[in-house]
Amino acid sequence: QVQLVESGGGLVQPGGSLRLSCAASGSIVNINTMNWYRQAPGKERELVALITRGGSTNYADSGKGRFTISRDNAKNTLYLQMNSLKPEDTAVYYCNAEIWIFGHLTYRDYWGKGTLVTVSS
């Protein structure tokens, strides 16, 4: 099967930076679009940013100019560089990807378990 494991979360002061990583492992044939979502306490999960296999990106308004999504296709790894963090960025950040694994006929959706980002002084 496939595992998506996020890392890099933690406590940071307002204005600080964090870099999240998401490593995909397993019997992977190919990975299509990869996404970062987040869910703040009491709120619905929301899309933060996405990146296609070819490198095209899109961002939610909340992260434009502050967040940068990237990926390393050779390492099956997704990144999110977050700068100028604000208290309202506090949330659990989840990795999501469309992955084609051996034995399947098409891409399927997979999720990581999340990493907590807390922005507080």
Side-chain angles (χ1 to χ4, degrees):
Q1 278 292 347
V2 169
Q3 276 193 321
L4 294 177
V5 180
E6 301 97 335
S7 61
L11 174 64
V12 62
Q13 292 187 342
S17 298
L18 281 176
R19 189 191 194 208
L20 306 183
S21 300
C22 171
S25 62
S27 302
I28 297 171
V29 176
N30 201 13
I31 302 178
N32 200 5
T33 299
M34 303 184 81
N35 311 285
W36 285 104
Y37 282 80
R38 70 184 183 186
Q39 187 166 18
K43 295 189 176 181
E44 294 187 353
R45 192 171 297 188
E46 62 176 2
L47 179 66
V48 175
L50 67 86
I51 184 168
T52 67
R53 181 168 182 82
S56 297
T57 60
N58 203 358
Y59 297 89
D61 288 343
S62 58
K64 284 181 180 177
R66 300 187 299 126
F67 295 176
T68 302
I69 190 171
S70 62
R71 65 191 285 174
D72 184 332
N73 290 332
K75 295 181 179 180
N76 290 334
T77 301
L78 175 69
Y79 305 98
L80 184 68
Q81 177 67 44
M82 303 188 293
N83 299 327
S84 303
L85 283 162
K86 306 173 182 179
E88 50 263 45
D89 294 318
T90 296
V92 178
Y93 284 72
Y94 296 92
C95 174
N96 166 256
E98 300 170 353
I99 302 176
W100 181 12
I101 67 172
F102 286 102
H104 289 179
L105 298 179
T106 188
Y107 291 89
R108 295 188 182 183
D109 218 32
Y110 293 90
W111 289 87
K113 294 183 178 181
T115 185
L116 177 62
V117 171
T118 304
V119 184
S120 175
S121 55

